[in-house]
Amino acid sequence: MVMLTGCSEAQPPTLAMATQNLVTDGEELLASYLIQRVGQFRITEKAEKDSDTACVPGSKQRFFRAQANFLNPERPDPGAAAGAVQAQLGVMSYDKLVDDLDFWDNDLSVAVFHKPESAVTFMVAARITEPHILIVGKTDCIKPEE
């Protein structure tokens, strides 16, 4: 007797799983050597509460936010700071969705990265005004488990 099994797509993460991915990846990002060389980050939000502001009715998302000033404020380099975050997110298997070329400006660098299997997106903005570096991570909009 032969038994055949079909392949099925992996289930998308629940909001709880995506939130765990968000916090774990956010902490890993901030703890990385590359990131610690550009600024001393302070977490300002750690996915504590649901938000439905940008979601379709019935779905929610969570946010992870951190900010820092340049370690060397006399020589501000938004491009280098954003590049360090981009490099680390690439190492963490995030896909680049948007980068500096879309917002070309010497005083502002922006990048957006997404990892579909974890339902998490990270955005980084580095600029010459304080706080110099902003990192915002968010889960996809997901309907909470019943």
Side-chain angles (χ1 to χ4, degrees):
M1 177 155 91
V2 175
M3 180 177 256
L4 299 174
T5 59
C7 294
S8 63
E9 288 188 31
Q11 292 294 321
T14 63
L15 184 58
M17 291 167 44
T19 299
Q20 182 177 359
N21 295 336
L22 173 64
V23 172
T24 300
D25 285 358
E27 289 175 340
E28 179 181 339
L29 177 64
L30 297 182
S32 72
Y33 175 75
L34 282 173
I35 305 310
Q36 291 186 2
R37 292 195 52 183
V38 297
Q40 195 165 10
F41 282 85
R42 179 175 62 88
I43 297 172
T44 58
E45 184 175 350
K46 199 170 179 180
E48 298 94 2
K49 60 184 187 251
D50 291 344
S51 174
D52 60 3
T53 307
C55 298
V56 298
S59 63
K60 308 266 186 224
Q61 68 184 154
R62 297 275 180 108
F63 287 88
F64 179 98
R65 300 177 200 272
Q67 61 187 31
N69 288 324
F70 296 125
L71 288 180
N72 185 355
E74 292 80 37
R75 296 183 58 213
D77 191 346
V85 178
Q86 290 182 53
Q88 184 60 37
L89 287 169
V91 167
M92 294 169 63
S93 300
Y94 276 79
D95 301 321
K96 186 187 299 186
L97 301 179
V98 176
D99 67 15
D100 291 343
L101 298 177
D102 297 320
F103 300 100
W104 188 251
D105 184 331
N106 288 334
D107 296 335
L108 173 69
S109 290
V110 176
V112 180
F113 284 76
H114 183 67
K115 189 189 266 187
E117 62 273 14
S118 67
V120 173
T121 300
F122 278 99
M123 296 157 282
V124 58
R127 58 194 182 178
I128 59 170
T129 56
E130 292 186 5
H132 297 126
I133 310 162
L134 304 168
I135 296 175
V136 177
K138 65 180 185 173
T139 66
D140 292 349
C141 290
I142 300 170
K143 185 175 181 182
E145 310 80 50
E146 303 294 310

